[in-house]
Amino acid sequence: MPFSVASFLILGATLTAAQCPQVHVFGARETTAPPGYGSAAVVTNEVLAVYPGSTSEAISYPACGGQASCGDVSYADSVIQGVAATASQVNSFNTQCPNTVLVLIGYSQGGQIFDDAYCGGGDTDEGLSSTAIPISSPAQKMIAAAIFLSDPRYISGLPYNVGTCQAGGFASRPPGFQYPYAANIQSYCDASDPYCCNGNNPHTLEGYSNEYSALATNFVKTKVNAMLSGTGLPTSVPLSDPTTTTPPPSGGVTATHWSQCGGERFFQKILTDARNALCS
């Protein structure tokens, strides 16, 4: 029986959805890092190495603090743009691949934008007045883990904190703030860090990836495995020592993202074959 163009459209959409990755990682870089993943690349790579076929993309935002090298965008404007970009990219991917498990890995300002986007509550220091969570409800449910490294929104005394800091960051959450997804978060901060804590050694910022990458990756694996098991998706990967791999591409959405979730070239081939069949 001949296929109609509509049939091929349905078939194409189904195959595209079937090719969505099991796990997708979003990475957000620190202030003044060039476009791409920045220091979030280390943990991002370790997670990708654990789940074959998983994909990743970097949040596209200024990551600036008023420096000429990043376009003179103020820190506050950069955070606001970053929160909006996070919501847009996460929601868009979840719409295309609603069953894919999602992971957030943010470094410094990247941690702040993920904190604001995933946990809501506003960010008055940066002029973000809305307290709503901008990530959609369906996407929120698919975020298995969020890693914040040197997050300026850090506050001490929370059960998911990791590190030596007993104070707060320069944009710390107000006392008593309740994180809606606390069980899915780990926030890393050491006392000497002047960004997430009240320290005086800015070089502390540079060490989190090496100091905590194994711990962060194992946390992510625990949460991702639990979600994969609970949703009936393909068998999860057992915990093991993480392996560092080559850093992901430096910017935007990865090639594997578009080949596995979107499938534009594959979908176009289906349409072309359908038209040829109808016209032959």
Side-chain angles (χ1 to χ4, degrees), residues 126-194:
E126 318 307 345
L128 184 63
S129 58
S130 174
T131 60
I133 297 175
I135 295 176
S136 68
S137 293
Q140 290 174 40
K141 295 175 182 177
M142 295 309 299
I143 296 174
I147 299 295
F148 306 149
L149 301 146
S150 188
D151 176 11
R153 307 237 66 191
Y154 183 96
I155 51 176
S156 63
L158 297 178
Y160 56 75
N161 289 346
V162 180
T164 60
C165 180
Q166 298 299 319
F170 65 77
S172 60
R173 291 282 190 177
F177 179 78
Q178 298 294 313
Y179 279 80
Y181 295 102
N184 299 340
I185 298 170
Q186 276 197 340
S187 184
Y188 297 81
C189 182
D190 284 333
S192 56
D193 191 323

Side-chain angles (χ1 to χ4, degrees), residues 3 45 73 81 143 156 211:
F3 287 96
N45 280 317
V73 179
Q81 290 182 47
I143 296 174
S156 63
E211 183 180 1

Side-chain angles (χ1 to χ4, degrees), residues 185-279:
I185 298 170
Q186 276 197 340
S187 184
Y188 297 81
C189 182
D190 284 333
S192 56
D193 191 323
Y195 306 110
C196 64
C197 201
N198 59 354
N200 56 12
N201 182 4
H203 295 294
T204 304
L205 176 67
E206 302 165 6
Y208 290 103
S209 290
N210 292 327
E211 183 180 1
Y212 292 118
S213 61
L215 189 62
T217 301
N218 273 317
F219 175 81
V220 171
K221 286 191 286 186
T222 299
K223 294 300 180 179
V224 169
N225 286 354
M227 184 171 283
L228 291 176
S229 175
T231 56
L233 293 176
T235 305
S236 58
V237 177
L239 293 178
S240 61
D241 291 334
T243 302
T244 302
T245 60
T246 304
S250 60
V253 181
T254 64
T256 50
H257 166 90
W258 285 113
S259 66
Q260 294 194 25
C261 192
E264 291 180 332
R265 291 182 180 178
F266 178 76
F267 187 58
Q268 186 61 46
K269 182 179 185 299
I270 290 175
L271 291 178
T272 300
D273 291 345
R275 293 191 184 99
N276 291 339
L278 289 173
C279 297

